């Protein structure tokens, strides 16, 4: 049984991390994943949230994404409500220069 639940407090978005690359991603209106938060589907519609939840569970089960969960979005700005999510939307927090082969 899934533990994926929306909070039901204002607009919601569904987020996860790509399993292979590790990037933060957000579910879009066409039920695909984008690395850009501006593409994220934001909704308060219970029916749409159920579809989003089903897609998140399906893609997590298919090992496309990991750590799927709903986030609260500020109704006035359309941006994530919590600092953690604001930070995640900026991209990777590691220095990739050390990952390049020398």
């Amino acid at each position: 049984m899934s533990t994926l639940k929306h909070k039901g407090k204002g607009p919601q978005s569904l987020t996860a991390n790509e399993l292979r690359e590790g990037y933060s991603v957000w579910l879009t209106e066409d039920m695909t994943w984008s690395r850009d938060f501006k593409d994220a589907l934001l909704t308060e519609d219970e029916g749409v949230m159920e579809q989003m939840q089903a897609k998140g569970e399906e893609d997590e089960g298919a090992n496309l994404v990991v750590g799927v969960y709903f986030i609260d979005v500020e109704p006035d700005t359309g941006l994530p409500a919590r600092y953690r999510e604001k930070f995640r939307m900026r991209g990777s927090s590691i220095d990739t220069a050390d990952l390049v082969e020398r």
Side-chain angles (χ1 to χ4, degrees):
M1 174 176 245
S2 173
T3 59
L4 179 62
K5 302 280 185 206
H6 65 85
K7 297 174 175 99
K9 299 175 185 172
Q12 302 283 296
S13 181
L14 192 66
T15 188
N17 288 89
E18 291 178 331
L19 187 62
R20 298 199 189 282
E21 301 284 329
Y23 290 100
S24 299
V25 290
W26 291 268
L27 195 64
T28 67
E29 190 172 333
D30 62 356
M31 298 294 164
T32 60
W33 297 96
S34 174
R35 292 180 183 175
D36 194 336
F37 180 77
K38 73 176 183 180
D39 299 331
L41 170 58
L42 311 178
T43 188
E44 293 183 64
D45 183 297
E46 287 285 329
V48 173
M49 283 188 246
E50 288 174 9
Q51 293 172 0
M52 294 166 73
Q53 180 171 333
K55 180 63 173 169
E57 290 171 350
E58 175 186 329
D59 288 353
E60 193 166 41
N63 293 321
L64 299 175
V65 294
V66 65
V68 180
Y69 62 98
F70 282 94
I71 64 168
D72 293 326
V73 177
E74 292 288 344
D76 297 336
T77 64
L79 295 173
R82 291 182 172 72
Y83 175 78
R84 177 179 193 262
E85 306 313 327
K86 290 176 186 175
F87 188 83
R88 287 180 73 241
M89 69 183 258
R90 292 187 186 122
S92 177
S93 61
I94 63 167
D95 183 1
T96 57
D98 290 338
L99 301 177
V100 177
E101 289 186 43
R102 297 172 201 215

